[in-house]
Amino acid sequence: MPVKPQRLTRKEYDARVPKLREELVQLQVQLKESPFKILLIIAGFEGAGRGEVINTLSGWLDPRGVETFALQEPTDEECERPFMWRFWRSLPTQGRLGIYAGSWYTEALREETFSHKAPGDIRHELERIRHFEKLLADNGTLIIKVWLHLGKAAQRDRLNTLESEPSTAWRVTPEHWYHYRNYDRISRAARLILKETGRPGAPWTIIDAEHERTRNVAVAKLILASFRAHARKLKPSPTARIPAAEKRLAARPLRPAGLARLRALPLDQSLSAIEYELKREKWLGRLNQAVRTANAAHRSIVFVFEGWDAAGKGGAIRRLTSAIDARHYRVIPVAKPTDEEKAHHYLWRFWRHVPRAGLVTIYDRSWYGRVLVERLEGFATGQEWRRAYGEILDFEQQLAEHGIIVVKFWLQVSKEEQLRRFRERESTPYKRHKINAEDWRNRRKWAGYEVAVGDMLALTNSSFAPWHLIPANDKRHARLTILKTACRQIETSLGGGI
Amino acid sequence: MPVKPQRLTRKEYDARVPKLREELVQLQVQLKESPFKILLIIAGFEGAGRGEVINTLSGWLDPRGVETFALQEPTDEECERPFMWRFWRSLPTQGRLGIYAGSWYTEALREETFSHKAPGDIRHELERIRHFEKLLADNGTLIIKVWLHLGKAAQRDRLNTLESEPSTAWRVTPEHWYHYRNYDRISRAARLILKETGRPGAPWTIIDAEHERTRNVAVAKLILASFRAHARKLKPSPTARIPAAEKRLAARPLRPAGLARLRALPLDQSLSAIEYELKREKWLGRLNQAVRTANAAHRSIVFVFEGWDAAGKGGAIRRLTSAIDARHYRVIPVAKPTDEEKAHHYLWRFWRHVPRAGLVTIYDRSWYGRVLVERLEGFATGQEWRRAYGEILDFEQQLAEHGIIVVKFWLQVSKEEQLRRFRERESTPYKRHKINAEDWRNRRKWAGYEVAVGDMLALTNSSFAPWHLIPANDKRHARLTILKTACRQIETSLGGGI
C-alpha cells in the first residue's frame, strides 16, 4: 500500500508545475551528455491513468528527447523471434528517455490474470524480466518503474466519472469493467509481479493514483530524484584505464577445468583429400536436408563460429553455407561495432540479427568477444566480463526456448600451426590482406587467450547451446567434423520436437 | 534476344572456375575498401535457374561479404509502409554485395502478367523503380541487372528434366507450368519491363540460361567486368574539396521566385497572450480529433519542421505534440548522421523512420538538409544538391501515394529577430545550451541560406506535400498558425478520402 500523499489543490499544482517542467527539461539537457539512458515504465491498474500520466509528462518534457513505446499487438516479425526481441529493439537511443506505456509487465499481468495457467506460473517469465532489467541496469541504464495504485472503490469511481463525461466516455471499454470485477485477482497478480521483479537497480515505486494532480507531480518528482541519485553514483566512464592488478586477474583462469579440456584436445587427426571428397558430399547432402526440414518446421538456426586467428573459420563457413540455399542464411561478420551499436548494451548488436522463423544466421565471431578480447584487452572491467557468462547463458537460453537451434564451434589450432599459417598468409599475395599487425599482437597474448577460452568453454557450455570443440590443425578434418556436428545437432533438435 | 555464347564443356568449366572464384574473392576484398556497394539483381523466366545462379555465386564468393535478399510475402510492418520501404531496408551495408533473389521486378512482372490491370498499367511502378535505381546509381552504387532468358521450348525441356529427377522434382510446382502456358504473355511483360527500366547506371544484361555452366560463367564474368569498369570511373571521394567556383554558384538562386516569396512574407503579425490562450484550446482540440480520426483510418502523418536557427521549431513541436497521444507520435531530431546512416544514401535515414499505419512522425529538420546546409557548406556537390530536389519530390510523392499526410513548415524569422533571440539565449542560463558557435557561423551566411530556402520552397512545393510558410517573429502567432494549418491539411486530406 502506498502512503497517500497530501492532495494538491489546483492552485498548489499550478504553482509547482513550472518549476518541475524546468527541472525536467534541464534533466534532458544533462541526459544528452550522459553516458546512460533512462527507461521509465508506467504500469498499474486500469483507470489509474497510465495514458494521462504519459501524456502529461510528454507535455512537460522536450519531445525531441523522448521515445514513447506503446505496446501493440506483436507484429509477425516480432512473433517470429523470442519474446524479449521486441523490447530489445524498442530500447531508446543514447541520451534519450524511453517511456514505456506498455511493457513486458503488461503481458505478464495479462497472462497471470486471464490465462488458464495456474497462479504463479509466470514465475519463469518474471525471472526473464528480472534478468533483462538487471542486464540493462548493470550496463548503467537508469530504470524507473512506477506502479499506479488505485483502490477498488477508487477504480469504480474513476470509471464512473469517465463514463459520465461525454468527452471521456469512449475511453471506458467493457474490458475496464471486467478488470474492475476481477480486482482482487489482478491485485494478487500485481503483488506477485511487484515482489518478484522489484530489485536493486530496478525497484518499483508505488504511487497512489486516486488524485490526478498529486499523481502527476509524484511521478515527475520520482524521475528527478532518481536521475540525480543515478548521476551521482555513476561509475567512471568505460574508457577509464583498467588497473594493472585487474588486468593480471583477467589472465588467471576461473575454471581450470575448461583450460585443461582445451589443452587435452588431440590435434593430430587428419583426412586425406580423397577421403574428404568422398565423405563431404554425403554430409553436405544431409545438412542440406536437415536445414530444409528445419525451415519447413519454422525452426531457425544460429551458428556461432569462434576460434583462433587463422583457425579456418572463413573456410569452414564457406563449406557450411554451400549446403544451404543462399536465400535462407545470412553471415554476420563481427568486427568493430558501429556507433549505433556502441550506444547500446553489447548484446544488442546480436539481438538485432536474430533470424526470422526458419532462417539461418551465422555469426563469424560473436557475443563471446565480451569474454575473450574484451576481457584480455581491458575493454570490459572485471565485473563486466565476469557478469557476461550469465548474461550470455540467458541470451542463448531465450533463443533455445523459442525453438532456435544454437550450434557453437570453437576451432582449435596449435600455436605452431597458427605460426605456419600466418607466415603462409604473408607470403601468398592474395592472402596477404588476411593478416595484419593486430594478429601478431594477439598471438603474443596466446597464454592469456587460452585461459579465457578455457573459462568460456567451461562457463557457457549448456544443454541448450553446447560448445563443440573442433580440432582444426587439419583443415579437411575440421571442415568435415563441423559438417557432421552441425548435422547431428540439428537432426537431434528436430527429432526432439519443438 | 541474347546472343547465344559458345557452350562450355564440363572440362572447360572446371578449368575456368578456380580463376573466376579467385577473381571474385579479390573483388570482394577490394569492395570492402571501396566507397560504394553493389546490387546484383537476378531476374528471369521460371526455370531459368535464378536460385541456382545465386547459390553457385554464393559458393564462389566469400559469404561474409554477401547479403542475399529473398523476396518473401511482405510482413505486416512492410505492408504498412510505402511499397519501396522494404527495399530501402534491404539495402546492403557498405562494402558488401547485395544479391537480390527477388526484387522490385518480381512484383512488377507478376502484376503486369497476372493482375486484371490493362497491359502497360504498370508503367507508373516502372517509373518508380527507375527513380529508385537512378537515385542509388547517382549515389555511386553499382547496379548489375541480369535477365535470365529461356526460350519457350527450352523452358519446357528444363521443367521436364527437373520433374524427371527425383532429387529436383519437388522444385517444379503447378505455378511453373502455368508460367509455361503463359509464356508469350510473360515474354511481352518482360520486354516492357526491360525496355522501361534499362537505363545508364542500371542497364539490363540478358543472359541465355539454356545451358547451366555457360550461364553461371556468364553471370560471374559480368560481375567482374562491371565492377572493374565501375571502379575505374569512380568519382573522387565525397570528402574532396568543392571548387570555389561551384561554391559561388551554390549561393546563386535557381528560382528567384522562391526567394521573392520568402522575402515578401509579412512578419509583423502578432497575437496577444489572451487571444492565444483562447484560440489555442479550440485548435488543440480540433487537432487532437483530426489525428485520432487519421489514426482510426490507418492514415499516417509526417510533419516536417524546417526554419532558421532559433525560429522556434522546438517550441512549436511541443505545442503540436501536446495535442497528440504520446503513444502515437515520435519526434526524430535530425542531427549528425550515425555511421550506419552515413554509409547509405542520404534519404535512407529518413526512410527508416517512416511511421507505421496510423502513427505520426515529426522530423525536427529533415531531408531538406541536403539542399540547405549541405548545399551551402559544400557537403554535397552541385550535381548532388541539384538532383536532390527531384529525389525529394519523388520520396514525398511515395509517402503521399501510400496515404501518408505530409505537412511541411518553414518557420521564417527576420535577421534582427534571430539576433535578439541569440542574445537572449546567451544571457539566460537555462537557454545557454541552445546556442553555440555554429549558430553564429550559420548566421553570417544568412544571404546564402536565404537563396537556398527560396529555391527549396519553389522547387519542392507540390500538391501532395505543400510548403507552409510560417511568419515566426511572434511565437504565439506562429504556434497558432501551425496548429491551424496542420489541422486544416489533415482534415482536408481525410475528407478527400484515401
Side-chain angles (χ1 to χ4, degrees), chain A residues 21-22 25-26 28-29 32 50-52 54-55 58-70 72-78 85 89 93 96 101-102 167 170 292 313-315 317-319 321-322 324-333 336-342 348 352 356 359 364 429-431 433-434, chain B residues 21-22 25-26 28-29 32 50-52 54-55 58-70 72-78 85 89 93 96 101-102 167 170 292 313-315 317-319 321-322 324-333 336-342 348 352 356 359 364 429-431 433-434:
Chain A
R21 290 180 66 157
E22 202 188 306
V25 172
Q26 283 301 310
Q28 287 187 278
V29 173
K32 259 195 210 160
R50 285 166 302 171
E52 285 160 54
I54 289 168
N55 282 326
S58 301
W60 291 349
L61 291 157
D62 183 339
R64 294 178 288 186
V66 178
E67 278 178 48
T68 305
F69 178 75
Q72 299 178 308
E73 280 295 294
T75 67
D76 45 16
E77 295 186 29
E78 289 168 343
W85 188 77
R89 77 194 290 222
T93 51
R96 297 190 100 187
S167 68
W170 61 275
R292 277 201 280 134
K313 292 188 292 295
I317 290 171
R318 277 177 83 143
R319 284 5 173 244
T321 51
S322 73
I324 311 175
D325 190 312
R327 290 164 288 193
H328 290 162
Y329 70 82
R330 201 160 172 231
V331 181
I332 307 295
K336 209 161 59 74
T338 66
D339 52 15
E340 294 186 33
E341 290 171 341
K342 260 182 276 179
W348 185 84
R352 72 194 296 210
R356 298 192 54 183
L359 300 185
D364 178 14
Y430 68 90
K431 284 187 176 171
H433 71 274
K434 287 172 133 188
Chain B
R21 292 181 64 156
E22 202 189 305
V25 172
Q26 283 301 311
Q28 287 187 278
V29 173
K32 257 194 211 163
R50 286 166 301 172
E52 286 159 53
I54 288 169
N55 281 326
S58 301
W60 293 349
L61 292 158
D62 183 339
R64 293 177 289 187
V66 177
E67 277 178 48
T68 305
F69 178 74
Q72 298 177 308
E73 280 295 293
T75 67
D76 45 15
E77 296 187 29
E78 289 167 344
W85 188 77
R89 78 195 290 223
T93 50
R96 297 189 100 188
S167 68
W170 61 274
R292 277 202 278 133
K313 291 188 293 294
I317 290 172
R318 276 177 84 144
R319 288 356 176 251
T321 52
S322 73
I324 311 175
D325 189 311
R327 289 164 290 192
H328 290 162
Y329 70 82
R330 202 162 170 229
V331 181
I332 307 294
K336 209 162 59 75
T338 67
D339 51 16
E340 294 186 32
E341 289 171 342
K342 260 182 276 178
W348 185 84
R352 73 194 296 211
R356 297 192 55 183
L359 300 185
D364 178 13
Y430 69 89
K431 285 188 176 172
H433 71 275
K434 287 171 135 189

Side-chain angles (χ1 to χ4, degrees), chain A residues 78 80-86 351 354 398-399 402 404:
Chain A
E78 289 168 343
E80 293 184 17
R81 269 85 167 203
F83 177 71
M84 295 306 287
W85 188 77
R86 64 173 164 148
W351 268 103
V354 168
Q398 289 187 63
L399 299 180
H402 188 70
I404 300 174

Side-chain angles (χ1 to χ4, degrees), chain A residues 132-177:
Chain A
F132 178 57
E133 292 179 351
K134 179 172 187 311
L135 171 152
L136 295 175
D138 283 343
N139 201 39
T141 302
L142 168 57
I143 303 176
I144 308 171
K145 302 193 292 189
V146 173
W147 182 268
L148 296 178
H149 177 81
L150 210 53
K152 193 171 179 179
Q155 189 182 37
R156 188 198 51 221
D157 294 350
R158 175 69 54 85
L159 295 180
N160 279 331
T161 310
L162 286 171
E163 269 193 339
S164 65
E165 282 276 334
S167 68
T168 53
W170 61 275
R171 280 165 49 189
V172 182
T173 64
E175 209 192 319
H176 285 80
W177 287 112

Side-chain angles (χ1 to χ4, degrees), chain A residues 94-151:
Chain A
Q94 199 73 30
R96 297 190 100 187
L97 168 67
I99 302 185
Y100 286 77
S103 65
W104 33 98
Y105 291 109
T106 315
E107 309 246 329
L109 185 64
R110 189 181 301 148
E111 203 159 316
E112 173 69 7
T113 328
F114 301 112
S115 77
H116 296 287
K117 292 188 178 177
D121 242 18
I122 55 161
R123 275 179 216 277
H124 182 63
E125 272 94 328
L126 296 182
E127 198 192 333
R128 177 112 306 142
I129 288 172
R130 217 157 54 215
H131 279 177
F132 178 57
E133 292 179 351
K134 179 172 187 311
L135 171 152
L136 295 175
D138 283 343
N139 201 39
T141 302
L142 168 57
I143 303 176
I144 308 171
K145 302 193 292 189
V146 173
W147 182 268
L148 296 178
H149 177 81
L150 210 53

Side-chain angles (χ1 to χ4, degrees), chain A residues 160-212:
Chain A
N160 279 331
T161 310
L162 286 171
E163 269 193 339
S164 65
E165 282 276 334
S167 68
T168 53
W170 61 275
R171 280 165 49 189
V172 182
T173 64
E175 209 192 319
H176 285 80
W177 287 112
Y178 182 75
H179 274 251
Y180 169 69
R181 285 193 303 277
N182 288 278
Y183 184 91
D184 296 332
R185 214 163 136 196
I186 296 178
S187 202
R188 257 199 315 277
R191 271 199 301 276
L192 173 72
I193 290 176
L194 266 61
K195 179 168 158 284
E196 294 287 325
T197 61
R199 288 291 182 278
W204 279 104
T205 302
I206 303 177
I207 287 180
D208 188 90
E210 200 176 330
H211 190 256
E212 296 180 27

Side-chain angles (χ1 to χ4, degrees), chain B residues 35 137-140 230-238 383-384 387:
Chain B
D138 283 342
N139 201 40
H230 195 73
R232 260 198 309 275
K233 70 165 187 219
L234 248 203
K235 308 152 295 183
S237 100
Q383 267 195 330
E384 283 171 340
R387 210 164 52 217

